[in-house]
Structures are given as C-alpha cells and as structure tokens.
C-alpha cells in the first residue's frame, strides 16, 4: 500500500464520516434504548461537553471499557496528586459507573466522542487538552489526525497488539505508518507488542509492562464481607467471573454436575455486563436452580444454588468468598479477561483457551502453576471438583498466582517515568498557577503575598 493510497484512504474515511454524521442520531438513540448509552448524556458522543473546563493544564485520558479504566486508575491518581486536571473518557456505561465509584468528582468523566471530524473537533476545541493519553489498543484515525494537526502530544500506554490486529494493520502498512507516526511515544506491555508497534511505524517505543499487574487489592466493606461470610457459612464456593454470553449456562451445568457431590455447593456468577442479569436469572431458574441476586436479595439464602453478582465494583467481595475462580470471555468469547485481580486474592484461577488479550499474563501464570486452562464444560467441572476437593492443591495454585503478580509489578512506576517529559511541564505550570492563586488570595486577605511568598516550595 503506497503513501498516496494511505492518504486517499484517510481522506475517504474523513468524508464518509462527514456524510454519515447527520444520520447517527438514530444509531446513538438505539444504543441508548438498549442500555448501551446513557440517554441523558448521549450528546457527549458528538463532542458536546456536559461540564465546564477547569482552569489550568488538562490531560485527556481515554480508556475504552472497565478493564482499561481499572488499569489507568493508579496513573490518574498520581496525576491528580500533582494538581493536574483530568478529563477521562470511556465508551461504556459500566466503565462510567466504575469511574463514578472509584474517582467520584475528582476527574471529569465524558463519553468518548465518535471518531468523526465534527465530534472530535468539537471535543478538542472545548477541552483544549495539553496532552492525550490512550490505553492499550485505542487507535482512532480521525482522533489521531486531529490531535496531530493541533500538535497535542499523544501517548499510547499499556499498549498491546493482538495477532488479529497486527495482521490487519500489516496488510495496510502505509496506512498504519501514517497513523502510528503521530504517537509521541508508545509504552508497550511486552517486547513482542513493542516490536509490532515499531514494525507498524511507531517511534519511540519502550516496554513498561502491564499496568494491570500493578493491581491494588480490591477493597471491600468489612461489614458486608462479614454478613456474606455468615450467609455462606461453611458451604463450598466457586465463582465464574467476568462471564460472557453463554458462559453462565456453562457455569449452571457445572453447578448441577458438582451438586451431586456437594449438595450445599454455592456458585457465584459475576457477569461482565450486569445489565444482562435479568436474562441470566431467567435462564438459571429454567435450569431448575435457586437464584439470589446481590442487587435484590443482598445476601444468598440457605437454599440458593447461585449467587448472582449483578453489581459493579464488588469483585473484591465475591472473590474473597471463593477459593476457585473461572475467568470468563475465554470459553464462549474471545480475548479473555484480566486474571490478575483474582490472583491477588488467594484464588486458584481457571480459564478457557481464548485469552489473546491477556496472553502474556496467562503464560506466566500457567508456567508457575498459578492458573490452568480448560477446554470445555466437562474439563471445567473436573477442574473445579479437583480444586474444591484438594485444599493443598488449591492453596498452592493461589500462592503461585500471587507470586506471579508480585514479580510483574512495576509497570506503574515505569509508565510514570516514561510520561515525565510530557506531563512534568504541565505539573510545573499547575503548581505555579496554584502558587500565584494562593498569592492573590493572601493579598486580598491583607497577608504576605506576591512573589515573595511563593518561596518555590
């Protein structure tokens, strides 16, 4: 693919977007009607702001969904501690809920604008970010080009490149080069990811590790934890977490198979998208299972077969109850989900084979005997049975998984160091602005002010 062809392709993308823009209202409205957009905030998708821009330096951070959002929380908290303003965009309602729960009003949350010139331009004209930081694999042509035209530094952090994405970009190498050259820096999760980004035209590229490995132990309300422990008592418990469509049925059938050995067995199911919970509950009841829902029943009753964790931000609660966790989107979906959160909570990890999005983490976990792959429903049932019946084996797996996470830590510090040249000047500006603001306030109050008071502390 020639450079001329790549330029023509990007120009076509721009014009097709402009032509489609007036007709996208129905599409966004349809997504809102299905719960995939917040109806009252759908205008944010067109780049229309719902909150005022604060004074001073501002960094735009984008994380598409819950996993990426969780990965950048530590980085965001560091930037906030240095006085920077953050506008954080995400693309899903579940990630928006996570931001609200974990960060509250410390950041400005907006839904990411559609990758169309009118929406992106409106967003950038209003927020005027001093730097743009994208998480993992977010490559949006119009957004990248508009940021480039404004000479706003754009950095890709926690970068990963799946086999599928790499092969797709390789077929359009000139197009990839014309986009990736706009990144001021790419911080990759692994050396393999780094090599792929370099081959596609990104410069410079460094390996900083996986931010998801710098996992904070998920918090839990001690009173709620105590109540749930009392409700479960001494029942054997396993969990199927971050499940994708179809995997709840697998968990239900595994439960029925294992119940022959442990009539008191409790299975915790935590779907990746809690809004599917009503349909999941209906399916479970049709399987003849008694279901307690966290959002309705609060606690599982003594007869519950399934405790359906249909809440956001309580994974730490559910995982503390289960010695074994199957991590979803790996049997029926593709890409897998993050296994490192259960790893830090003394949990033996099981997963299907489809884990391309977390291949590096699973490779290390499996090599250390901290996780096992299962191929289907039958092998999952056998693995859960073996682990629930063997405390020594289960404990050994959990300890190995925890050691792997400990060895993988450090990505947050390395990423922070890499970002230094781009955000350190903004931090200085923010601190100087605060100092002058304090000085002005002191002058108004008749106390020592002006440059003498700043003291360059």
């Amino acid at each position: 693919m020639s450079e001329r062809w790549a330029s023509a392709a990007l120009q076509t993308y721009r014009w097709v977007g402009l032509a489609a823009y007036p007709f996208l209202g129905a599409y966004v409205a349809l997504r809102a009607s299905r719960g995939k957009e917040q109806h009252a905030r759908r205008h944010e998708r067109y780049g229309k702001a719902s909150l005022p821009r604060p004074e001073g330096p501002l960094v735009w951070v984008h994380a598409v969904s819950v996993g990426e959002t969780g990965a950048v929380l530590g980085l965001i908290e560091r930037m906030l501690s240095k006085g920077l303003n953050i506008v954080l965009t995400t693309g899903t309602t579940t990630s928006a809920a996570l931001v609200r729960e974990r960060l509250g009003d410390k950041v400005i949350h907006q839904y990411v604008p559609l990758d169309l010139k009118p929406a992106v331009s409106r967003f950038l004209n209003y927020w005027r970010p001093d730097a743009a930081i994208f998480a993992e694999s977010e490559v949006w042509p119009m957004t990248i080009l508009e940021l480039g035209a404004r000479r706003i530094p754009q950095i890709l952090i926690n970068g990963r490149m799946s086999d599928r994405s790499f092969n797709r970009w390789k077929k359009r190498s000139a197009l990839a080069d014309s986009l990736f050259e706009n990144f001021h820096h790419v911080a990759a999760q692994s050396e393999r990811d780094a090599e792929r980004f370099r081959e596609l035209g990104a410069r410079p590229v460094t390996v900083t590790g996986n931010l998801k490995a710098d996992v904070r132990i998920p918090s839990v309300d001690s009173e709620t934890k105590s109540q749930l422990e009392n409700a479960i008592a001494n029942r054997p418990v396993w969990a199927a977490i971050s499940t994708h469509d179809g995997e709840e049925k697998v968990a239900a059938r595994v439960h029925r198979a294992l119940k022959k050995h442990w009539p008191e067995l409790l299975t915790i199911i935590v779907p990746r998208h809690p809004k599917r919970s009503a349909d999941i509950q209906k399916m479970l009841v049709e399987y003849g299972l008694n279901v307690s829902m966290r959002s309705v029943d609060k606690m599982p009753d003594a007869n519950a077969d399934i405790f359906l964790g249909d809440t956001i931000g309580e994974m730490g609660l559910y995982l503390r109850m289960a010695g074994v966790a199957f991590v979803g989107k790996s049997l029926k979906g593709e890409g897998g989900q993050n296994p490192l959160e259960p790893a830090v909570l003394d949990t033996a990890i099981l997963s299907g084979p489809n884990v391309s999005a977390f291949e590096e983490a699973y490779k290390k976990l499996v090599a250390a005997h901290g996780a096992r792959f299962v191929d289907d429903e039958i092998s999952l049932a056998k693995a859960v049975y073996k682990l629930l019946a063997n405390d020594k084996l289960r404990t050994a797996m959990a300890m190995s998984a925890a050691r792997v996470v400990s060895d993988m830590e450090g990505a947050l510090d390395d990423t922070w160091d890499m970002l230094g040249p781009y955000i350190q000047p903004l931090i200085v500006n923010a601190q100087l602005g605060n100092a002058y603001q304090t000085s002005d306030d002191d002058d108004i109050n008749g106390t020592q002010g002006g440059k003498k008071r700043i003291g360059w502390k």
Side-chain angles (χ1 to χ4, degrees), residues 405-456:
V405 176
S406 179
D407 291 342
M408 290 174 66
E409 289 177 348
L412 179 58
D413 288 338
D414 290 344
T415 303
W416 180 255
D417 291 342
M418 180 277 298
L419 286 172
Y422 308 103
I423 64 171
Q424 193 59 41
L426 306 181
I427 292 171
V428 172
N429 287 342
Q431 292 174 343
L432 287 175
N434 290 337
Y436 275 105
Q437 181 62 50
T438 302
S439 174
D440 292 343
D441 291 344
D442 287 347
D443 284 339
I444 291 171
N445 294 324
T447 56
Q448 184 182 13
K451 294 181 182 178
K452 291 181 181 179
R453 183 194 180 283
I454 292 175
W456 314 114

Side-chain angles (χ1 to χ4, degrees), residues 1-15 145 174-175 178:
M1 182 189 293
S2 68
E3 291 185 13
R4 183 177 297 177
W5 194 99
S7 177
L10 290 172
Q11 194 65 18
T12 300
Y13 182 89
R14 180 192 299 266
W15 285 109
L145 294 177
L175 178 61
S178 65

Side-chain angles (χ1 to χ4, degrees), residues 144-423:
I144 290 173
L145 294 177
E146 288 297 304
L147 284 165
R150 289 166 168 78
R151 298 185 179 180
I152 298 171
Q154 43 190 318
I155 306 103
L156 183 68
I157 62 171
N158 217 40
R160 63 180 176 88
M161 181 68 65
S162 67
D163 295 343
R164 183 178 179 184
S165 294
F166 180 64
N167 291 332
R168 189 167 63 241
W169 282 115
K170 279 278 288 181
K171 294 176 183 177
R172 304 165 179 83
S173 57
L175 178 61
D177 189 73
S178 65
L179 290 174
F180 284 101
E181 69 177 2
N182 285 278
F183 284 109
H184 286 63
H185 205 120
V186 172
Q189 293 185 16
S190 68
E191 189 56 51
R192 187 186 69 166
D193 293 311
E195 283 302 319
R196 289 179 169 182
F197 280 113
R198 292 187 191 107
E199 191 169 341
L200 295 174
R203 296 287 189 282
V205 180
T206 55
V207 178
T208 53
N210 189 344
L211 283 171
K212 291 175 180 175
D214 282 324
V215 183
R216 294 189 308 178
I217 297 178
S219 60
V220 64
D221 178 75
S222 58
E223 183 177 346
T224 302
K225 176 175 176 286
S226 178
Q227 291 173 354
L228 185 53
E229 286 173 338
N230 290 335
I232 292 175
N234 296 317
R235 300 174 64 177
V237 182
W238 76 287
I241 65 169
S242 300
T243 52
H244 224 56
D245 188 21
E247 289 174 330
E248 295 86 11
K249 290 183 179 179
V250 171
R253 290 194 287 262
V254 168
H255 178 91
R256 293 203 304 186
L258 297 182
K259 195 175 178 180
K260 298 173 184 177
H261 304 278
W262 294 291
E264 71 278 20
L265 178 69
L266 179 67
T267 296
I268 299 174
I269 297 179
V270 187
R272 177 70 174 78
H273 300 291
K275 289 187 177 179
R276 297 177 47 241
S277 295
D279 292 335
I280 295 171
Q281 181 198 31
K282 181 180 178 182
M283 177 273 296
L284 293 170
V285 171
E286 289 173 352
Y287 268 77
L289 300 172
N290 294 317
V291 182
S292 292
M293 298 179 70
R294 171 71 176 136
S295 64
V296 177
D297 306 298
K298 304 305 179 186
M299 296 292 158
D301 62 39
N303 297 318
D305 295 298
I306 308 292
F307 187 38
L308 187 56
D310 58 339
T311 54
I312 294 172
E314 291 195 304
M315 188 66 79
L317 173 66
Y318 304 129
L319 286 173
R320 281 176 170 86
M321 300 298 120
V324 180
F326 163 76
V327 184
K329 203 181 177 184
S330 59
L331 274 180
K332 297 299 182 180
E334 289 191 6
Q337 292 292 343
N338 186 8
L340 301 180
E341 200 167 49
V344 299
L345 286 174
D346 299 323
T347 308
I349 300 166
L350 301 172
S351 171
N354 306 320
V355 295
S356 58
F358 298 91
E359 186 174 347
E360 196 72 18
Y362 271 107
K363 185 185 297 183
K364 293 179 179 180
L365 285 167
V366 171
H369 306 290
R372 293 185 178 185
F373 287 127
V374 295
D375 296 321
D376 50 31
E377 174 186 320
I378 294 174
S379 58
L380 175 60
K382 289 180 178 179
V384 174
Y385 173 82
K386 186 174 183 179
L387 289 168
L388 287 180
N390 190 328
D391 290 342
K392 185 176 180 180
L393 175 61
R394 185 176 70 249
T395 301
M397 276 188 69
M399 292 177 64
S400 295
R403 282 195 295 270
V404 168
V405 176
S406 179
D407 291 342
M408 290 174 66
E409 289 177 348
L412 179 58
D413 288 338
D414 290 344
T415 303
W416 180 255
D417 291 342
M418 180 277 298
L419 286 172
Y422 308 103
I423 64 171

Side-chain angles (χ1 to χ4, degrees), residues 105-118:
D105 59 2
K106 291 190 289 186
V107 300
I108 301 164
H109 177 266
Q110 301 282 280
Y111 284 105
V112 65
L114 297 166
D115 193 49
L116 305 170
K117 181 172 174 36

